[in-house]
């Protein structure tokens, strides 16, 4: 999302409310039961947000699932026994893996073939 779109969303209370309701609906809040605005109040920004939020949610979820919980727990258990610099590297590595997974998911959303790995892709072990 570019800065102009975000700025226009923040300047328009109705658009902002629509975006908040869409996010609330994705998270299981009460906004999910609200009905869409009437056609006379059509807002392209809110429409774009409603279409983009599920895609963004999928990308974020893939980043959260990039490192299995067992590995996170193991690294967390090792932190008291290593220096602060090494513990920071553990956190940094987890963030990098999550960002790489989110980037792959984002490319998969853009790729018409569904993000199928090519022969040159390195497969995780």
């Amino acid at each position: 999302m570019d800065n102009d779109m975000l700025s226009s969303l923040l300047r328009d209370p109705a658009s902002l409310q629509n975006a908040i309701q869409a996010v609330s609906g994705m998270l299981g809040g009460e906004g999910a039961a609200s009905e869409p605005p009437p056609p006379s109040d059509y807002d392209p920004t809110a429409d774009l947000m409603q279409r983009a939020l599920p895609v963004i949610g999928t990308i974020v979820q893939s980043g959260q699932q990039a490192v299995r919980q067992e590995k996170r727990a193991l690294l967390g258990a090792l932190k008291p026994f290593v220096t602060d610099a090494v513990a920071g590297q553990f956190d940094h590595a987890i963030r990098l893996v999550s960002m790489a997974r989110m980037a792959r998911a984002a490319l998969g959303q853009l790729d018409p073939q569904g993000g199928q790995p090519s022969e040159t892709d390195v497969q995780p072990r």
Side-chain angles (χ1 to χ4, degrees):
M1 176 182 294
D2 63 357
N3 287 337
D4 294 335
M5 187 183 309
L6 184 59
S7 295
S8 67
L9 180 67
L10 293 175
R11 281 192 299 258
D12 184 9
S15 296
L16 184 59
Q17 184 65 29
N18 288 340
I20 290 171
Q21 287 177 349
V23 170
S24 178
M26 285 180 55
L27 299 175
E30 296 173 4
S34 67
E35 60 186 52
S40 63
D41 292 339
Y42 177 72
D43 182 9
T45 305
D47 184 44
L48 178 63
M49 287 296 294
Q50 287 178 342
R51 289 186 291 152
L53 284 175
V55 174
I56 293 170
T58 301
I59 292 169
V60 169
Q61 187 177 19
S62 71
Q64 292 171 343
Q65 297 172 348
V67 179
R68 291 195 322 237
Q69 189 61 32
E70 298 87 21
K71 290 183 180 182
R72 285 181 188 266
L74 175 62
L75 292 174
L78 290 174
K79 281 184 181 182
F81 302 104
V82 297
T83 64
D84 289 341
V86 173
Q89 289 176 353
F90 288 169
D91 294 333
H92 186 70
I94 289 173
R95 282 192 304 271
L96 285 175
V97 169
S98 295
M99 288 187 327
R101 184 68 60 93
M102 287 190 297
R104 178 177 250 185
L107 288 174
Q109 293 290 329
L110 297 174
D111 186 5
Q113 296 176 346
Q116 297 298 323
S118 67
E119 294 176 10
T120 60
D121 284 347
V122 177
Q123 297 298 319
R125 294 181 186 242

